[in-house]
Amino acid sequence: MTSPSELMNKVNRKTLHMVLLTMATGGLYLLLWLYKTNQHLREATGQEACSETYIIWMFVCTGLSGLFINDEQLALEIAAGLLSIAALVLQIVWAFNARRILLAFAHANNQIHFRMNGFNTFVLNLYYINYCINELGETDQRQQPVYSQAMQP
């Protein structure tokens, strides 16, 4: 198990940058971030938020909804809407799994006062998880003792 600051450095993305990159790439960056962060969480905590198959299905739902959204047939537009809702639900479920893992990780690293809001997890899901990873890492860095060069042997 690694420290929270190491997890923050692996994820290495400010939340505002994440929002801007998601808008610039039409949502593709968010999916890439989710895939990489799922791997980093597994490496750091030893627990898996979701399997890679789960994330692939999220990609499939998002991709097919984008493919069908501009079709002139009503059935395909309805299918696109349903696939978009399915992808959103999958993201929310992943966010709550990641929330559970992050809370356990924080408590295991003696950050007993670290809290995550369930409403924010539901509404802001992946962006809030990124914010909490950064907050957890910054709190860990603040708790580290600072040694000057003179104090070291």
Side-chain angles (χ1 to χ4, degrees):
M1 185 180 333
T2 60
S3 72
S5 59
E6 290 175 22
L7 176 61
M8 179 187 73
N9 291 335
K10 283 183 180 180
V11 173
N12 195 23
R13 183 65 55 216
K14 298 292 181 200
T15 306
L16 177 62
H17 295 162
M18 188 173 152
V19 171
L20 295 174
L21 283 168
T22 300
M23 286 192 288
T25 62
L28 293 177
Y29 179 77
L30 192 62
L31 295 174
L32 178 64
W33 177 89
L34 184 128
Y35 178 76
K36 293 302 285 181
T37 302
N38 191 55
Q39 290 177 341
H40 295 315
L41 276 174
R42 181 178 51 240
E43 291 168 5
T45 64
Q47 297 178 2
E48 191 171 56
C50 291
S51 68
E52 287 187 10
T53 305
Y54 181 92
I55 293 175
I56 289 171
W57 278 110
M58 193 181 315
F59 286 11
V60 168
C61 289
T62 303
L64 288 177
S65 70
L67 180 67
F68 296 153
I69 197 70
N70 290 326
D71 202 296
E72 294 179 12
Q73 294 179 0
L74 180 62
L76 289 179
E77 288 183 3
I78 291 171
L82 292 174
L83 286 168
S84 294
I85 291 170
L88 180 63
V89 168
L90 291 172
Q91 286 180 4
I92 291 170
V93 169
W94 184 90
F96 275 97
N97 286 340
R99 176 182 180 260
R100 176 185 46 81
I101 290 170
L102 284 174
L103 286 172
F105 186 55
H107 291 183
N109 284 286
N110 299 323
Q111 294 188 19
I112 57 174
H113 299 294
F114 183 76
R115 301 278 187 256
M116 292 179 70
N117 189 320
F119 179 76
N120 287 344
T121 305
F122 180 77
V123 173
L124 302 172
N125 54 61
L126 303 181
Y127 301 109
Y128 185 64
I129 295 299
N130 185 68
Y131 170 79
C132 290
I133 288 172
N134 290 335
E135 185 66 29
L136 187 62
E138 289 170 5
T139 303
D140 184 55
Q141 287 176 348
R142 285 190 299 263
Q143 290 179 352
Q144 298 292 330
V146 178
Y147 296 106
S148 67
Q149 294 291 340
M151 294 181 69
Q152 293 181 352

